[in-house]
Amino acid sequence: MSQTLLSSPLQGFTDYKFRNAFNHFFGGIDTFYSPYIRLNGKLVIKNSYKKDIELENNTDLEVIPQIITNDVEEFLFVSKYVRELGYKELNWNLGCPYPMVTKRGMGSGLIADPEKINSILHKIHNESDILVSMKMRMGYDTPEEILEVLPVLDNYPLKNIAIHARIGKQLYKGGTDLDSFQKCVDNTKHKLYYNGDVTSVAAYKKLQERFPSIDHWMIGRGLIADPFLPSMIKAETTEYPKNRFDIFNEFHDRIFTEYDAALSGPTPIKMKMLGFWEYFSQSFSNPQKTYKKIKKAGSVKNYEIAVREIFKEAKNG
C-alpha cells in the first residue's frame, strides 16, 4: 500500500513562501494544506489569505485551501472564491485548539455541536459543488465528542476526515490518544487521515503498524522541526544526507530573505524567525542552547551571526 504524506497547516508558519522553499529543498510532501482562512463576520477575504492561495504562488505544489468558521454564509462565500480560483476542494478546520478560536465556537470548540455541524454541511452540499474535507481533533473537552459527530458526517460525501489524535484543551501537550483514534476508525465509513506526533521515522513506523488501514499521514510540527522527515519516510531510511546542514542552511537563508523582504522593520522578521527556531532547534545537538542563542540575538545583524555560528558548528560536528 503506497503511503501519502500531507503537510498539516500551521498558522504563521506554512504559508506559500515556506511551502515553496520546503518543496524545493526537501520534498517528500504530496499535498500541502494552506493555513486557514478566517473571515471574522465580514464577507471579505484578507489580502494575505488571497496571496497565500493564488495559483501563481503555488505552481509546483498541490495545495488545498482551508477555512475556519461556524457560519454557513462565510463557508459559502469562501467556497465560491476558491472555486473561481480553480480549487475543487475546501478543507474545514474543526481542529484548532487555541482558546481565542474555541471560545467563539470554532475549530475544536465546534465539535461538541453536531447539530450545527450538520446544518452547515447540509446547506454547503445543497448550494455549492465544492468538495469538502475535514480536519478535526477528537473533541475539545473529551475524545467522546467526535463519536457523536461521526454519524452526522457519514451522511455527507466528504473527501476525507483528518484527525489529530488529541483533544483541543490539550493544545499540543501530553501524548496522543491512539485508543480513541482507533474508535474513530471503527465508527465511520469515511476515509481517515492520521495526524499527531509524526516526529521521526521510528514514530511513523510504530503508527503504521498500529493502524494498518491508514495510508494518509499528516505531519505538522515534525515537518518544521525536521524538514528531512517526509523524504526519509518515503525513502524508508533513517540516514540523513551527508550535506544535511548545507541544505538546511540554504533553506533557512531563502525563507529568511523572503520574509525579510515582505515584513517591515527588524522586529517582525526577528519574531517570525524566532518562531521557526523554536522548531528548527530540535534538529541540532543541543536544542536549548541553539534556541537560546537565537533568542539572545538582539538585532538582525546579531541574528545572522548567530545563525552562521549554529550552522558552522553543526557542519563541523
Side-chain angles (χ1 to χ4, degrees):
M1 184 162 58
S2 70
Q3 304 294 316
T4 301
L5 300 183
L6 311 111
S7 164
S8 178
L10 285 171
Q11 220 65 10
F13 293 98
T14 58
D15 64 7
Y16 76 95
K17 290 184 175 73
F18 175 88
R19 295 193 298 263
N20 282 300
F22 185 94
N23 197 48
H24 175 77
F25 287 102
F26 305 107
I29 290 293
D30 298 290
T31 303
F32 291 84
Y33 288 78
S34 73
Y36 59 68
I37 295 168
R38 182 176 175 181
L39 299 191
N40 294 324
K42 291 179 185 170
L43 297 183
V44 178
I45 297 174
K46 282 197 314 192
N47 283 335
S48 59
Y49 294 144
K50 286 181 176 179
K51 211 168 181 182
D52 190 49
I53 59 170
E54 271 173 13
L55 296 187
E56 65 195 51
N57 290 330
N58 297 283
T59 49
D60 297 324
L61 310 174
E62 184 178 329
V63 175
I64 295 167
Q66 186 182 74
I67 183 172
I68 194 164
T69 188
N70 58 7
D71 181 278
V72 74
E73 297 309 321
E74 288 185 356
F75 206 136
L76 286 166
F77 181 78
V78 174
S79 300
K80 186 171 182 285
Y81 179 76
V82 300
R83 282 298 279 128
E84 283 168 1
L85 285 180
Y87 290 100
K88 294 180 174 67
E89 178 184 343
L90 183 59
N91 186 262
W92 188 16
N93 182 316
L94 267 69
C96 182
Y98 292 108
M100 61 184 181
V101 167
T102 57
K103 280 177 183 168
R104 294 182 182 186
M106 292 191 288
S108 59
L110 185 55
I111 300 171
D113 194 345
E115 280 179 36
K116 185 151 202 181
I117 294 167
N118 185 47
S119 69
I120 291 171
L121 286 174
H122 181 74
K123 194 162 182 183
I124 291 297
H125 284 93
N126 279 329
E127 297 185 25
S128 171
D129 63 348
I130 199 83
L131 186 59
V132 178
S133 57
M134 310 280 287
K135 170 89 168 70
M136 304 179 73
R137 292 231 172 177
M138 295 183 299
Y140 183 78
D141 284 307
T142 75
E144 283 70 48
E145 286 172 32
I146 197 170
L147 298 177
E148 301 291 314
V149 180
L150 290 175
V152 169
L153 302 184
D154 274 353
N155 295 323
Y156 298 97
L158 304 174
K159 186 188 166 200
N160 64 273
I161 307 167
I163 300 175
H164 183 134
R166 281 185 173 87
I167 53 172
K169 71 177 181 185
Q170 272 184 274
L171 298 178
Y172 292 97
K173 299 180 185 105
T176 47
D177 183 347
L178 302 184
D179 291 340
S180 292
F181 182 81
Q182 182 62 53
K183 285 181 190 169
C184 297
V185 174
D186 297 338
N187 284 282
T188 183
K189 68 175 192 184
H190 283 301
K191 183 170 186 65
L192 296 190
Y193 295 1
Y194 176 87
N195 180 214
D197 288 5
V198 181
T199 52
S200 66
V201 175
Y204 165 76
K205 281 185 172 168
K206 259 188 179 174
L207 287 162
Q208 212 186 359
E209 282 166 22
R210 175 80 191 262
F211 304 112
S213 66
I214 302 292
D215 62 359
H216 282 63
W217 305 87
M218 268 193 163
I219 309 177
R221 295 167 302 148
L223 176 133
I224 305 174
D226 184 359
F228 291 95
L229 179 60
S231 59
M232 286 165 68
I233 287 172
K234 285 279 178 78
E236 295 185 15
T237 181
T238 53
E239 294 289 315
Y240 287 94
K242 286 190 170 65
N243 59 343
R244 172 188 182 183
F245 289 108
D246 292 308
I247 298 168
F248 204 151
N249 200 163
E250 282 185 57
F251 166 71
H252 166 275
D253 291 354
R254 173 160 153 183
I255 63 169
F256 174 78
T257 303
E258 290 191 9
Y259 286 127
D260 193 28
L263 298 166
S264 50
T267 305
I269 184 63
K270 187 170 179 288
M271 296 312 293
K272 183 82 173 172
M273 297 313 295
L274 189 63
F276 276 113
W277 276 99
E278 202 173 326
Y279 296 108
F280 288 167
S281 60
Q282 304 301 313
S283 279
F284 295 83
S285 57
N286 189 331
Q288 271 181 308
K289 188 183 162 195
T290 302
Y291 185 62
K292 199 174 174 186
K293 200 175 245 190
I294 294 292
K295 209 173 177 184
K296 273 174 69 181
S299 64
V300 171
K301 190 182 174 186
N302 286 344
Y303 169 83
E304 291 180 293
I305 291 167
V307 168
R308 274 202 300 274
E309 284 174 4
I310 288 163
F311 277 112
K312 189 179 176 187
E313 204 176 298
K315 288 171 197 176
N316 294 337

